[in-house]
Amino acid sequence: IIATHIGTNQCYLKKGFKDHTGLTIFEYIQENRMIKAKHLLSNSEMSMMEVATNTGYGSVSSFSQAFKSYFGINPSQYSKSNLAR
């Protein structure tokens, strides 16, 4: 839909995006979701489910798995280490 809206095809959109940002569209979205998640965990009192929902995940388990894969620490450990500061 985005490609059609800007008058190109999906292949050119993906290639142009990667050339411009150095990231695939998925990597870019994932990075932004994780930055937002880290911010919410650090600066709010949201539950893990609220953070998961606010970053586009349907379950805490899929959010936790993505967070751990991205940062190397699960979100509850990150929250606890942030509280200790």
Side-chain angles (χ1 to χ4, degrees):
I1 295 175
I2 295 170
T4 303
H5 183 72
I6 62 171
T8 189
N9 67 40
Q10 190 175 8
C11 183
Y12 283 117
L13 174 64
K14 288 178 181 178
K15 182 178 179 342
F17 191 91
K18 174 105 180 187
D19 289 346
H20 183 71
T21 65
L23 302 169
T24 66
I25 294 171
F26 177 78
E27 290 168 338
Y28 180 83
I29 292 168
Q30 185 72 359
E31 179 178 280
N32 282 282
R33 289 167 96 184
M34 292 295 107
I35 290 167
K36 181 178 181 180
K38 203 173 191 183
H39 175 78
L40 292 173
L41 290 169
S42 299
N43 301 302
S44 76
E45 295 192 16
M46 288 183 169
S47 70
M48 204 61 66
M49 186 65 208
E50 290 171 316
V51 173
T53 301
N54 276 277
T55 52
Y57 290 91
S59 72
V60 171
S61 106
S62 60
F63 166 68
S64 294
Q65 185 177 16
F67 191 94
K68 184 170 184 174
S69 175
Y70 192 84
F71 291 113
I73 183 173
N74 70 44
S76 58
Q77 289 172 317
Y78 176 79
S79 291
K80 286 177 189 171
S81 70
N82 243 14
L83 289 175
R85 291 182 191 179

